[in-house]
PDB file of all heavy atoms in Angstrom:
ATOM      1  N   CYS Q 887      -7.749  -3.284  -6.426  1.00 93.00           N
ATOM      2  CA  CYS Q 887      -7.672  -4.673  -6.911  1.00 93.00           C
ATOM      3  C   CYS Q 887      -8.340  -5.523  -5.786  1.00 93.00           C
ATOM      4  O   CYS Q 887      -8.683  -5.062  -4.748  1.00 93.00           O
ATOM      5  CB  CYS Q 887      -6.214  -5.091  -7.184  1.00 93.00           C
ATOM      6  SG  CYS Q 887      -5.150  -4.954  -5.763  1.00 93.00           S
ATOM      7  N   SER Q 888      -8.414  -6.833  -6.074  1.00 94.00           N
ATOM      8  CA  SER Q 888      -9.079  -7.748  -5.100  1.00 94.00           C
ATOM      9  C   SER Q 888      -8.287  -7.759  -3.791  1.00 94.00           C
ATOM     10  O   SER Q 888      -8.863  -7.857  -2.710  1.00 94.00           O
ATOM     11  CB  SER Q 888      -9.186  -9.112  -5.677  1.00 94.00           C
ATOM     12  OG  SER Q 888      -7.906  -9.680  -6.009  1.00 94.00           O
ATOM     13  N   GLU Q 889      -6.970  -7.753  -3.859  1.00 94.00           N
ATOM     14  CA  GLU Q 889      -6.129  -7.725  -2.625  1.00 94.00           C
ATOM     15  C   GLU Q 889      -6.349  -6.509  -1.793  1.00 94.00           C
ATOM     16  O   GLU Q 889      -6.414  -6.530  -0.603  1.00 94.00           O
ATOM     17  CB  GLU Q 889      -4.667  -7.868  -2.975  1.00 94.00           C
ATOM     18  CG  GLU Q 889      -4.255  -9.255  -3.544  1.00 94.00           C
ATOM     19  CD  GLU Q 889      -4.533  -9.392  -5.002  1.00 94.00           C
ATOM     20  OE1 GLU Q 889      -5.013  -8.378  -5.671  1.00 94.00           O
ATOM     21  OE2 GLU Q 889      -4.389 -10.531  -5.518  1.00 94.00           O
ATOM     22  N   ALA Q 890      -6.488  -5.353  -2.506  1.00 94.00           N
ATOM     23  CA  ALA Q 890      -6.741  -4.077  -1.815  1.00 94.00           C
ATOM     24  C   ALA Q 890      -8.102  -4.100  -1.128  1.00 94.00           C
ATOM     25  O   ALA Q 890      -8.246  -3.650  -0.024  1.00 94.00           O
ATOM     26  CB  ALA Q 890      -6.688  -2.926  -2.788  1.00 94.00           C
ATOM     27  N   GLU Q 891      -9.105  -4.651  -1.822  1.00 95.00           N
ATOM     28  CA  GLU Q 891     -10.439  -4.797  -1.233  1.00 95.00           C
ATOM     29  C   GLU Q 891     -10.423  -5.732  -0.067  1.00 95.00           C
ATOM     30  O   GLU Q 891     -11.102  -5.428   0.924  1.00 95.00           O
ATOM     31  CB  GLU Q 891     -11.407  -5.310  -2.323  1.00 95.00           C
ATOM     32  CG  GLU Q 891     -11.670  -4.260  -3.416  1.00 95.00           C
ATOM     33  CD  GLU Q 891     -12.474  -4.820  -4.532  1.00 95.00           C
ATOM     34  OE1 GLU Q 891     -12.883  -6.040  -4.432  1.00 95.00           O
ATOM     35  OE2 GLU Q 891     -12.759  -4.177  -5.535  1.00 95.00           O
ATOM     36  N   MET Q 892      -9.649  -6.816  -0.146  1.00 92.00           N
ATOM     37  CA  MET Q 892      -9.574  -7.709   1.017  1.00 92.00           C
ATOM     38  C   MET Q 892      -8.906  -7.046   2.191  1.00 92.00           C
ATOM     39  O   MET Q 892      -9.423  -7.171   3.352  1.00 92.00           O
ATOM     40  CB  MET Q 892      -8.783  -8.974   0.589  1.00 92.00           C
ATOM     41  CG  MET Q 892      -8.616 -10.021   1.740  1.00 92.00           C
ATOM     42  SD  MET Q 892      -7.191  -9.718   2.842  1.00 92.00           S
ATOM     43  CE  MET Q 892      -5.854 -10.037   1.726  1.00 92.00           C
ATOM     44  N   TYR Q 893      -7.841  -6.316   1.955  1.00 92.00           N
ATOM     45  CA  TYR Q 893      -7.176  -5.614   3.035  1.00 92.00           C
ATOM     46  C   TYR Q 893      -8.071  -4.595   3.705  1.00 92.00           C
ATOM     47  O   TYR Q 893      -8.111  -4.426   4.909  1.00 92.00           O
ATOM     48  CB  TYR Q 893      -5.884  -4.989   2.510  1.00 92.00           C
ATOM     49  CG  TYR Q 893      -5.086  -4.326   3.598  1.00 92.00           C
ATOM     50  CD1 TYR Q 893      -4.228  -5.101   4.418  1.00 92.00           C
ATOM     51  CD2 TYR Q 893      -5.116  -2.966   3.893  1.00 92.00           C
ATOM     52  CE1 TYR Q 893      -3.484  -4.577   5.430  1.00 92.00           C
ATOM     53  CE2 TYR Q 893      -4.401  -2.407   4.943  1.00 92.00           C
ATOM     54  CZ  TYR Q 893      -3.578  -3.224   5.664  1.00 92.00           C
ATOM     55  OH  TYR Q 893      -2.817  -2.613   6.676  1.00 92.00           O
ATOM     56  N   SER Q 894      -8.822  -3.818   2.882  1.00 93.00           N
ATOM     57  CA  SER Q 894      -9.714  -2.832   3.358  1.00 93.00           C
ATOM     58  C   SER Q 894     -10.817  -3.448   4.262  1.00 93.00           C
ATOM     59  O   SER Q 894     -11.156  -2.907   5.302  1.00 93.00           O
ATOM     60  CB  SER Q 894     -10.356  -2.047   2.230  1.00 93.00           C
ATOM     61  OG  SER Q 894     -11.199  -1.019   2.647  1.00 93.00           O
ATOM     62  N   LYS Q 895     -11.301  -4.602   3.799  1.00 91.00           N
ATOM     63  CA  LYS Q 895     -12.336  -5.289   4.591  1.00 91.00           C
ATOM     64  C   LYS Q 895     -11.749  -5.752   5.900  1.00 91.00           C
ATOM     65  O   LYS Q 895     -12.393  -5.710   6.932  1.00 91.00           O
ATOM     66  CB  LYS Q 895     -12.893  -6.471   3.772  1.00 91.00           C
ATOM     67  CG  LYS Q 895     -14.015  -7.222   4.471  1.00 91.00           C
ATOM     68  CD  LYS Q 895     -14.542  -8.319   3.603  1.00 91.00           C
ATOM     69  CE  LYS Q 895     -15.726  -9.072   4.310  1.00 91.00           C
ATOM     70  NZ  LYS Q 895     -16.248 -10.193   3.433  1.00 91.00           N
ATOM     71  N   HIS Q 896     -10.512  -6.244   5.825  1.00 87.00           N
ATOM     72  CA  HIS Q 896      -9.873  -6.789   7.044  1.00 87.00           C
ATOM     73  C   HIS Q 896      -9.613  -5.692   8.090  1.00 87.00           C
ATOM     74  O   HIS Q 896      -9.760  -5.955   9.265  1.00 87.00           O
ATOM     75  CB  HIS Q 896      -8.533  -7.444   6.595  1.00 87.00           C
ATOM     76  CG  HIS Q 896      -7.774  -8.039   7.730  1.00 87.00           C
ATOM     77  ND1 HIS Q 896      -7.942  -9.347   8.160  1.00 87.00           N
ATOM     78  CD2 HIS Q 896      -6.771  -7.541   8.557  1.00 87.00           C
ATOM     79  CE1 HIS Q 896      -7.087  -9.618   9.177  1.00 87.00           C
ATOM     80  NE2 HIS Q 896      -6.377  -8.509   9.431  1.00 87.00           N
ATOM     81  N   THR Q 897      -9.213  -4.525   7.641  1.00 89.00           N
ATOM     82  CA  THR Q 897      -8.807  -3.481   8.546  1.00 89.00           C
ATOM     83  C   THR Q 897      -9.801  -2.403   8.768  1.00 89.00           C
ATOM     84  O   THR Q 897      -9.727  -1.634   9.735  1.00 89.00           O
ATOM     85  CB  THR Q 897      -7.533  -2.793   8.029  1.00 89.00           C
ATOM     86  OG1 THR Q 897      -7.789  -2.160   6.718  1.00 89.00           O
ATOM     87  CG2 THR Q 897      -6.376  -3.770   7.815  1.00 89.00           C
ATOM     88  N   GLY Q 898     -10.754  -2.210   7.832  1.00 89.00           N
ATOM     89  CA  GLY Q 898     -11.677  -1.165   7.899  1.00 89.00           C
ATOM     90  C   GLY Q 898     -11.136   0.205   7.405  1.00 89.00           C
ATOM     91  O   GLY Q 898     -11.797   1.256   7.558  1.00 89.00           O
ATOM     92  N   ILE Q 899      -9.966   0.168   6.815  1.00 91.00           N
ATOM     93  CA  ILE Q 899      -9.310   1.344   6.231  1.00 91.00           C
ATOM     94  C   ILE Q 899      -9.564   1.467   4.778  1.00 91.00           C
ATOM     95  O   ILE Q 899      -9.261   0.507   4.012  1.00 91.00           O
ATOM     96  CB  ILE Q 899      -7.818   1.401   6.562  1.00 91.00           C
ATOM     97  CG1 ILE Q 899      -7.615   1.450   8.091  1.00 91.00           C
ATOM     98  CG2 ILE Q 899      -7.149   2.563   5.903  1.00 91.00           C
ATOM     99  CD1 ILE Q 899      -6.149   1.358   8.486  1.00 91.00           C
ATOM    100  N   THR Q 900     -10.049   2.618   4.323  1.00 92.00           N
ATOM    101  CA  THR Q 900     -10.250   2.836   2.897  1.00 92.00           C
ATOM    102  C   THR Q 900      -8.989   3.531   2.383  1.00 92.00           C
ATOM    103  O   THR Q 900      -8.587   4.556   2.779  1.00 92.00           O
ATOM    104  CB  THR Q 900     -11.466   3.758   2.651  1.00 92.00           C
ATOM    105  OG1 THR Q 900     -12.622   3.149   3.189  1.00 92.00           O
ATOM    106  CG2 THR Q 900     -11.643   3.995   1.162  1.00 92.00           C
ATOM    107  N   PRO Q 901      -8.285   2.894   1.372  1.00 94.00           N
ATOM    108  CA  PRO Q 901      -7.063   3.458   0.872  1.00 94.00           C
ATOM    109  C   PRO Q 901      -7.316   4.701  -0.033  1.00 94.00           C
ATOM    110  O   PRO Q 901      -8.416   4.785  -0.636  1.00 94.00           O
ATOM    111  CB  PRO Q 901      -6.482   2.359   0.056  1.00 94.00           C
ATOM    112  CG  PRO Q 901      -7.625   1.498  -0.390  1.00 94.00           C
ATOM    113  CD  PRO Q 901      -8.650   1.574   0.742  1.00 94.00           C
ATOM    114  N   VAL Q 902      -6.345   5.526  -0.165  1.00 94.00           N
ATOM    115  CA  VAL Q 902      -6.366   6.622  -1.059  1.00 94.00           C
ATOM    116  C   VAL Q 902      -5.597   6.197  -2.343  1.00 94.00           C
ATOM    117  O   VAL Q 902      -4.453   5.716  -2.229  1.00 94.00           O
ATOM    118  CB  VAL Q 902      -5.648   7.868  -0.493  1.00 94.00           C
ATOM    119  CG1 VAL Q 902      -5.559   9.005  -1.529  1.00 94.00           C
ATOM    120  CG2 VAL Q 902      -6.406   8.341   0.746  1.00 94.00           C
ATOM    121  N   VAL Q 903      -6.250   6.286  -3.433  1.00 94.00           N
ATOM    122  CA  VAL Q 903      -5.647   5.843  -4.728  1.00 94.00           C
ATOM    123  C   VAL Q 903      -4.985   7.069  -5.396  1.00 94.00           C
ATOM    124  O   VAL Q 903      -5.625   8.110  -5.606  1.00 94.00           O
ATOM    125  CB  VAL Q 903      -6.730   5.279  -5.719  1.00 94.00           C
ATOM    126  CG1 VAL Q 903      -6.044   4.824  -6.992  1.00 94.00           C
ATOM    127  CG2 VAL Q 903      -7.442   4.100  -5.047  1.00 94.00           C
ATOM    128  N   ILE Q 904      -3.644   6.944  -5.632  1.00 92.00           N
ATOM    129  CA  ILE Q 904      -2.944   8.003  -6.338  1.00 92.00           C
ATOM    130  C   ILE Q 904      -2.389   7.398  -7.642  1.00 92.00           C
ATOM    131  O   ILE Q 904      -2.206   6.168  -7.774  1.00 92.00           O
ATOM    132  CB  ILE Q 904      -1.849   8.627  -5.497  1.00 92.00           C
ATOM    133  CG1 ILE Q 904      -0.797   7.564  -5.090  1.00 92.00           C
ATOM    134  CG2 ILE Q 904      -2.408   9.300  -4.252  1.00 92.00           C
ATOM    135  CD1 ILE Q 904       0.405   8.152  -4.337  1.00 92.00           C
ATOM    136  N   LYS Q 905      -2.140   8.253  -8.618  1.00 87.00           N
ATOM    137  CA  LYS Q 905      -1.783   7.760  -9.957  1.00 87.00           C
ATOM    138  C   LYS Q 905      -0.419   7.076  -9.996  1.00 87.00           C
ATOM    139  O   LYS Q 905      -0.290   6.036 -10.650  1.00 87.00           O
ATOM    140  CB  LYS Q 905      -1.762   8.952 -10.947  1.00 87.00           C
ATOM    141  CG  LYS Q 905      -1.508   8.555 -12.338  1.00 87.00           C
ATOM    142  CD  LYS Q 905      -1.542   9.773 -13.282  1.00 87.00           C
ATOM    143  CE  LYS Q 905      -1.324   9.361 -14.746  1.00 87.00           C
ATOM    144  NZ  LYS Q 905      -1.360  10.507 -15.653  1.00 87.00           N
ATOM    145  N   ASP Q 906       0.527   7.601  -9.213  1.00 91.00           N
ATOM    146  CA  ASP Q 906       1.895   7.059  -9.286  1.00 91.00           C
ATOM    147  C   ASP Q 906       2.460   7.023  -7.861  1.00 91.00           C
ATOM    148  O   ASP Q 906       2.761   8.062  -7.233  1.00 91.00           O
ATOM    149  CB  ASP Q 906       2.777   7.946 -10.134  1.00 91.00           C
ATOM    150  CG  ASP Q 906       4.168   7.452 -10.292  1.00 91.00           C
ATOM    151  OD1 ASP Q 906       4.490   6.354  -9.824  1.00 91.00           O
ATOM    152  OD2 ASP Q 906       5.011   8.121 -10.945  1.00 91.00           O
ATOM    153  N   LEU Q 907       2.632   5.820  -7.310  1.00 91.00           N
ATOM    154  CA  LEU Q 907       3.135   5.650  -5.942  1.00 91.00           C
ATOM    155  C   LEU Q 907       4.558   6.219  -5.833  1.00 91.00           C
ATOM    156  O   LEU Q 907       5.003   6.583  -4.746  1.00 91.00           O
ATOM    157  CB  LEU Q 907       3.092   4.188  -5.562  1.00 91.00           C
ATOM    158  CG  LEU Q 907       3.008   3.842  -4.055  1.00 91.00           C
ATOM    159  CD1 LEU Q 907       1.815   4.568  -3.397  1.00 91.00           C
ATOM    160  CD2 LEU Q 907       2.843   2.337  -3.895  1.00 91.00           C
ATOM    161  N   LYS Q 908       5.275   6.190  -6.919  1.00 90.00           N
ATOM    162  CA  LYS Q 908       6.662   6.690  -6.927  1.00 90.00           C
ATOM    163  C   LYS Q 908       6.751   8.184  -6.677  1.00 90.00           C
ATOM    164  O   LYS Q 908       7.791   8.687  -6.348  1.00 90.00           O
ATOM    165  CB  LYS Q 908       7.373   6.318  -8.233  1.00 90.00           C
ATOM    166  CG  LYS Q 908       7.667   4.807  -8.378  1.00 90.00           C
ATOM    167  CD  LYS Q 908       8.139   4.393  -9.755  1.00 90.00           C
ATOM    168  CE  LYS Q 908       9.514   4.875 -10.062  1.00 90.00           C
ATOM    169  NZ  LYS Q 908      10.523   4.181  -9.218  1.00 90.00           N
ATOM    170  N   SER Q 909       5.611   8.830  -6.844  1.00 89.00           N
ATOM    171  CA  SER Q 909       5.600  10.288  -6.625  1.00 89.00           C
ATOM    172  C   SER Q 909       5.816  10.594  -5.142  1.00 89.00           C
ATOM    173  O   SER Q 909       6.179  11.752  -4.782  1.00 89.00           O
ATOM    174  CB  SER Q 909       4.248  10.907  -7.110  1.00 89.00           C
ATOM    175  OG  SER Q 909       3.174  10.441  -6.316  1.00 89.00           O
ATOM    176  N   ILE Q 910       5.597   9.647  -4.270  1.00 84.00           N
ATOM    177  CA  ILE Q 910       5.821   9.825  -2.852  1.00 84.00           C
ATOM    178  C   ILE Q 910       7.270  10.250  -2.586  1.00 84.00           C
ATOM    179  O   ILE Q 910       7.541  11.081  -1.713  1.00 84.00           O
ATOM    180  CB  ILE Q 910       5.484   8.545  -2.071  1.00 84.00           C
ATOM    181  CG1 ILE Q 910       3.968   8.315  -2.000  1.00 84.00           C
ATOM    182  CG2 ILE Q 910       6.035   8.555  -0.641  1.00 84.00           C
ATOM    183  CD1 ILE Q 910       3.553   7.030  -1.365  1.00 84.00           C
ATOM    184  N   ALA Q 911       8.186   9.691  -3.350  1.00 79.00           N
ATOM    185  CA  ALA Q 911       9.610   9.929  -3.110  1.00 79.00           C
ATOM    186  C   ALA Q 911       9.999  11.405  -3.346  1.00 79.00           C
ATOM    187  O   ALA Q 911      11.064  11.803  -2.845  1.00 79.00           O
ATOM    188  CB  ALA Q 911      10.450   9.009  -4.057  1.00 79.00           C
ATOM    189  N   VAL Q 912       9.188  12.171  -3.959  1.00 82.00           N
ATOM    190  CA  VAL Q 912       9.528  13.587  -4.218  1.00 82.00           C
ATOM    191  C   VAL Q 912       8.515  14.500  -3.532  1.00 82.00           C
ATOM    192  O   VAL Q 912       8.506  15.719  -3.843  1.00 82.00           O
ATOM    193  CB  VAL Q 912       9.551  13.918  -5.720  1.00 82.00           C
ATOM    194  CG1 VAL Q 912      10.793  13.124  -6.336  1.00 82.00           C
ATOM    195  CG2 VAL Q 912       8.254  13.521  -6.452  1.00 82.00           C
ATOM    196  N   MET Q 913       7.685  14.009  -2.629  1.00 81.00           N
ATOM    197  CA  MET Q 913       6.782  14.870  -1.892  1.00 81.00           C
ATOM    198  C   MET Q 913       7.593  15.847  -1.019  1.00 81.00           C
ATOM    199  O   MET Q 913       8.498  15.427  -0.321  1.00 81.00           O
ATOM    200  CB  MET Q 913       5.817  14.083  -1.082  1.00 81.00           C
ATOM    201  CG  MET Q 913       4.683  13.416  -1.900  1.00 81.00           C
ATOM    202  SD  MET Q 913       3.504  12.479  -0.873  1.00 81.00           S
ATOM    203  CE  MET Q 913       2.208  12.108  -2.042  1.00 81.00           C
ATOM    204  N   PRO Q 914       7.317  17.143  -1.088  1.00 76.00           N
ATOM    205  CA  PRO Q 914       8.174  18.155  -0.502  1.00 76.00           C
ATOM    206  C   PRO Q 914       8.353  18.089   1.051  1.00 76.00           C
ATOM    207  O   PRO Q 914       9.444  18.338   1.528  1.00 76.00           O
ATOM    208  CB  PRO Q 914       7.492  19.468  -0.860  1.00 76.00           C
ATOM    209  CG  PRO Q 914       6.052  19.077  -1.136  1.00 76.00           C
ATOM    210  CD  PRO Q 914       6.102  17.721  -1.725  1.00 76.00           C
ATOM    211  N   GLU Q 915       7.335  17.694   1.792  1.00 79.00           N
ATOM    212  CA  GLU Q 915       7.433  17.737   3.259  1.00 79.00           C
ATOM    213  C   GLU Q 915       7.422  16.354   3.875  1.00 79.00           C
ATOM    214  O   GLU Q 915       7.322  16.210   5.087  1.00 79.00           O
ATOM    215  CB  GLU Q 915       6.365  18.606   3.874  1.00 79.00           C
ATOM    216  CG  GLU Q 915       6.473  20.059   3.401  1.00 79.00           C
ATOM    217  CD  GLU Q 915       5.348  20.930   3.990  1.00 79.00           C
ATOM    218  OE1 GLU Q 915       4.729  20.589   4.991  1.00 79.00           O
ATOM    219  OE2 GLU Q 915       5.087  22.026   3.359  1.00 79.00           O
ATOM    220  N   LEU Q 916       7.539  15.290   3.063  1.00 85.00           N
ATOM    221  CA  LEU Q 916       7.487  13.938   3.495  1.00 85.00           C
ATOM    222  C   LEU Q 916       8.949  13.419   3.711  1.00 85.00           C
ATOM    223  O   LEU Q 916       9.723  13.414   2.709  1.00 85.00           O
ATOM    224  CB  LEU Q 916       6.756  13.048   2.547  1.00 85.00           C
ATOM    225  CG  LEU Q 916       6.517  11.595   2.968  1.00 85.00           C
ATOM    226  CD1 LEU Q 916       5.644  11.527   4.182  1.00 85.00           C
ATOM    227  CD2 LEU Q 916       5.889  10.776   1.834  1.00 85.00           C
ATOM    228  N   LYS Q 917       9.296  13.054   4.905  1.00 86.00           N
ATOM    229  CA  LYS Q 917      10.660  12.612   5.207  1.00 86.00           C
ATOM    230  C   LYS Q 917      10.750  11.094   5.227  1.00 86.00           C
ATOM    231  O   LYS Q 917      11.877  10.527   5.192  1.00 86.00           O
ATOM    232  CB  LYS Q 917      11.086  13.176   6.543  1.00 86.00           C
ATOM    233  CG  LYS Q 917      10.958  14.708   6.659  1.00 86.00           C
ATOM    234  CD  LYS Q 917      11.732  15.388   5.580  1.00 86.00           C
ATOM    235  CE  LYS Q 917      11.608  16.948   5.733  1.00 86.00           C
ATOM    236  NZ  LYS Q 917      12.269  17.597   4.585  1.00 86.00           N
ATOM    237  N   GLY Q 918       9.630  10.391   5.353  1.00 90.00           N
ATOM    238  CA  GLY Q 918       9.651   8.966   5.379  1.00 90.00           C
ATOM    239  C   GLY Q 918       8.250   8.446   5.505  1.00 90.00           C
ATOM    240  O   GLY Q 918       7.286   9.197   5.688  1.00 90.00           O
ATOM    241  N   CYS Q 919       8.117   7.091   5.456  1.00 93.00           N
ATOM    242  CA  CYS Q 919       6.785   6.485   5.586  1.00 93.00           C
ATOM    243  C   CYS Q 919       6.793   5.503   6.773  1.00 93.00           C
ATOM    244  O   CYS Q 919       7.829   4.947   7.098  1.00 93.00           O
ATOM    245  CB  CYS Q 919       6.410   5.759   4.322  1.00 93.00           C
ATOM    246  SG  CYS Q 919       6.177   6.840   2.896  1.00 93.00           S
ATOM    247  N   ILE Q 920       5.626   5.294   7.362  1.00 93.00           N
ATOM    248  CA  ILE Q 920       5.553   4.438   8.536  1.00 93.00           C
ATOM    249  C   ILE Q 920       5.928   3.023   8.186  1.00 93.00           C
ATOM    250  O   ILE Q 920       6.783   2.365   8.809  1.00 93.00           O
ATOM    251  CB  ILE Q 920       4.194   4.499   9.155  1.00 93.00           C
ATOM    252  CG1 ILE Q 920       3.861   5.930   9.607  1.00 93.00           C
ATOM    253  CG2 ILE Q 920       4.070   3.549  10.383  1.00 93.00           C
ATOM    254  CD1 ILE Q 920       2.381   6.120  10.012  1.00 93.00           C
ATOM    255  N   LYS Q 921       5.314   2.495   7.104  1.00 92.00           N
ATOM    256  CA  LYS Q 921       5.651   1.133   6.674  1.00 92.00           C
ATOM    257  C   LYS Q 921       5.091   0.947   5.289  1.00 92.00           C
ATOM    258  O   LYS Q 921       4.192   1.656   4.824  1.00 92.00           O
ATOM    259  CB  LYS Q 921       5.171   0.077   7.600  1.00 92.00           C
ATOM    260  CG  LYS Q 921       3.652  -0.131   7.511  1.00 92.00           C
ATOM    261  CD  LYS Q 921       3.253  -1.360   8.429  1.00 92.00           C
ATOM    262  CE  LYS Q 921       1.724  -1.567   8.334  1.00 92.00           C
ATOM    263  NZ  LYS Q 921       1.295  -2.703   9.226  1.00 92.00           N
ATOM    264  N   GLY Q 922       5.640  -0.018   4.616  1.00 95.00           N
ATOM    265  CA  GLY Q 922       5.089  -0.517   3.336  1.00 95.00           C
ATOM    266  C   GLY Q 922       4.585  -1.924   3.557  1.00 95.00           C
ATOM    267  O   GLY Q 922       4.931  -2.564   4.492  1.00 95.00           O
ATOM    268  N   MET Q 923       3.737  -2.389   2.656  1.00 95.00           N
ATOM    269  CA  MET Q 923       3.189  -3.724   2.766  1.00 95.00           C
ATOM    270  C   MET Q 923       2.843  -4.333   1.391  1.00 95.00           C
ATOM    271  O   MET Q 923       2.226  -3.667   0.593  1.00 95.00           O
ATOM    272  CB  MET Q 923       1.939  -3.755   3.635  1.00 95.00           C
ATOM    273  CG  MET Q 923       1.330  -5.128   3.752  1.00 95.00           C
ATOM    274  SD  MET Q 923      -0.256  -5.129   4.634  1.00 95.00           S
ATOM    275  CE  MET Q 923       0.285  -4.949   6.305  1.00 95.00           C
ATOM    276  N   PHE Q 924       3.329  -5.549   1.191  1.00 97.00           N
ATOM    277  CA  PHE Q 924       2.885  -6.340   0.037  1.00 97.00           C
ATOM    278  C   PHE Q 924       1.688  -7.180   0.501  1.00 97.00           C
ATOM    279  O   PHE Q 924       1.839  -7.898   1.533  1.00 97.00           O
ATOM    280  CB  PHE Q 924       3.999  -7.225  -0.482  1.00 97.00           C
ATOM    281  CG  PHE Q 924       5.189  -6.502  -1.058  1.00 97.00           C
ATOM    282  CD1 PHE Q 924       6.274  -6.146  -0.259  1.00 97.00           C
ATOM    283  CD2 PHE Q 924       5.198  -6.114  -2.379  1.00 97.00           C
ATOM    284  CE1 PHE Q 924       7.352  -5.419  -0.797  1.00 97.00           C
ATOM    285  CE2 PHE Q 924       6.260  -5.452  -2.965  1.00 97.00           C
ATOM    286  CZ  PHE Q 924       7.361  -5.073  -2.142  1.00 97.00           C
ATOM    287  N   VAL Q 925       0.677  -7.166  -0.210  1.00 95.00           N
ATOM    288  CA  VAL Q 925      -0.465  -8.138   0.077  1.00 95.00           C
ATOM    289  C   VAL Q 925      -0.404  -9.172  -1.029  1.00 95.00           C
ATOM    290  O   VAL Q 925      -0.772  -8.907  -2.158  1.00 95.00           O
ATOM    291  CB  VAL Q 925      -1.824  -7.409   0.094  1.00 95.00           C
ATOM    292  CG1 VAL Q 925      -2.920  -8.369   0.435  1.00 95.00           C
ATOM    293  CG2 VAL Q 925      -1.804  -6.252   1.077  1.00 95.00           C
ATOM    294  N   VAL Q 926       0.102 -10.347  -0.672  1.00 93.00           N
ATOM    295  CA  VAL Q 926       0.508 -11.301  -1.689  1.00 93.00           C
ATOM    296  C   VAL Q 926       0.498 -12.731  -1.182  1.00 93.00           C
ATOM    297  O   VAL Q 926       0.682 -12.961   0.047  1.00 93.00           O
ATOM    298  CB  VAL Q 926       1.958 -10.900  -2.186  1.00 93.00           C
ATOM    299  CG1 VAL Q 926       2.975 -10.987  -1.110  1.00 93.00           C
ATOM    300  CG2 VAL Q 926       2.393 -11.726  -3.383  1.00 93.00           C
ATOM    301  N   ASP Q 927       0.318 -13.620  -2.054  1.00 93.00           N
ATOM    302  CA  ASP Q 927       0.313 -15.073  -1.733  1.00 93.00           C
ATOM    303  C   ASP Q 927       1.672 -15.470  -1.124  1.00 93.00           C
ATOM    304  O   ASP Q 927       2.705 -15.019  -1.620  1.00 93.00           O
ATOM    305  CB  ASP Q 927       0.052 -15.887  -3.025  1.00 93.00           C
ATOM    306  CG  ASP Q 927      -0.168 -17.386  -2.717  1.00 93.00           C
ATOM    307  OD1 ASP Q 927       0.849 -18.076  -2.554  1.00 93.00           O
ATOM    308  OD2 ASP Q 927      -1.343 -17.790  -2.652  1.00 93.00           O
ATOM    309  N   PRO Q 928       1.708 -16.318  -0.105  1.00 93.00           N
ATOM    310  CA  PRO Q 928       2.909 -16.697   0.499  1.00 93.00           C
ATOM    311  C   PRO Q 928       3.960 -17.277  -0.420  1.00 93.00           C
ATOM    312  O   PRO Q 928       5.192 -17.175  -0.132  1.00 93.00           O
ATOM    313  CB  PRO Q 928       2.470 -17.746   1.522  1.00 93.00           C
ATOM    314  CG  PRO Q 928       1.117 -17.360   1.910  1.00 93.00           C
ATOM    315  CD  PRO Q 928       0.476 -16.858   0.601  1.00 93.00           C
ATOM    316  N   CYS Q 929       3.557 -17.882  -1.517  1.00 93.00           N
ATOM    317  CA  CYS Q 929       4.505 -18.510  -2.463  1.00 93.00           C
ATOM    318  C   CYS Q 929       5.427 -17.469  -3.110  1.00 93.00           C
ATOM    319  O   CYS Q 929       6.510 -17.831  -3.669  1.00 93.00           O
ATOM    320  CB  CYS Q 929       3.813 -19.328  -3.537  1.00 93.00           C
ATOM    321  SG  CYS Q 929       2.820 -18.370  -4.649  1.00 93.00           S
ATOM    322  N   VAL Q 930       5.076 -16.223  -3.119  1.00 94.00           N
ATOM    323  CA  VAL Q 930       5.848 -15.152  -3.733  1.00 94.00           C
ATOM    324  C   VAL Q 930       6.750 -14.412  -2.720  1.00 94.00           C
ATOM    325  O   VAL Q 930       7.668 -13.702  -3.040  1.00 94.00           O
ATOM    326  CB  VAL Q 930       4.923 -14.118  -4.448  1.00 94.00           C
ATOM    327  CG1 VAL Q 930       5.780 -13.130  -5.248  1.00 94.00           C
ATOM    328  CG2 VAL Q 930       3.976 -14.832  -5.383  1.00 94.00           C
ATOM    329  N   GLN Q 931       6.493 -14.683  -1.433  1.00 95.00           N
ATOM    330  CA  GLN Q 931       7.127 -13.873  -0.415  1.00 95.00           C
ATOM    331  C   GLN Q 931       8.614 -14.077  -0.287  1.00 95.00           C
ATOM    332  O   GLN Q 931       9.380 -13.124   0.007  1.00 95.00           O
ATOM    333  CB  GLN Q 931       6.435 -14.159   0.925  1.00 95.00           C
ATOM    334  CG  GLN Q 931       5.025 -13.618   0.951  1.00 95.00           C
ATOM    335  CD  GLN Q 931       4.258 -13.928   2.246  1.00 95.00           C
ATOM    336  OE1 GLN Q 931       4.891 -14.358   3.239  1.00 95.00           O
ATOM    337  NE2 GLN Q 931       2.984 -13.707   2.291  1.00 95.00           N
ATOM    338  N   ASP Q 932       9.129 -15.257  -0.523  1.00 95.00           N
ATOM    339  CA  ASP Q 932      10.534 -15.538  -0.497  1.00 95.00           C
ATOM    340  C   ASP Q 932      11.296 -14.708  -1.520  1.00 95.00           C
ATOM    341  O   ASP Q 932      12.375 -14.157  -1.250  1.00 95.00           O
ATOM    342  CB  ASP Q 932      10.904 -17.008  -0.627  1.00 95.00           C
ATOM    343  CG  ASP Q 932      10.545 -17.819   0.571  1.00 95.00           C
ATOM    344  OD1 ASP Q 932      10.333 -17.221   1.640  1.00 95.00           O
ATOM    345  OD2 ASP Q 932      10.505 -19.068   0.436  1.00 95.00           O
TER     346      ASP Q 932
END
């Protein structure tokens, strides 16, 4: 999406697109994630 493209341009990191982000919760050898991030207008942040 446009926010993902903006973030990629800002950081230089190309994201990996997976079909269902919720599938992370059942990945067999994954115990946790470093961080999550919402890329969103400040008016929605509260």
Side-chain angles (χ1 to χ4, degrees):
C887 59
S888 59
E889 289 81 6
E891 291 174 2
M892 180 274 290
Y893 185 81
S894 181
K895 183 177 180 181
H896 180 87
T897 62
I899 296 177
T900 301
V902 175
V903 180
I904 60 176
K905 185 177 181 180
D906 183 5
L907 206 54
K908 290 169 70 68
S909 67
I910 288 176
V912 293
M913 285 182 169
E915 296 179 22
L916 186 63
K917 306 303 181 184
C919 295
I920 299 170
K921 73 174 180 182
M923 177 187 284
F924 294 92
V925 182
V926 62
D927 189 278
C929 69
V930 187
Q931 293 177 12
D932 285 346

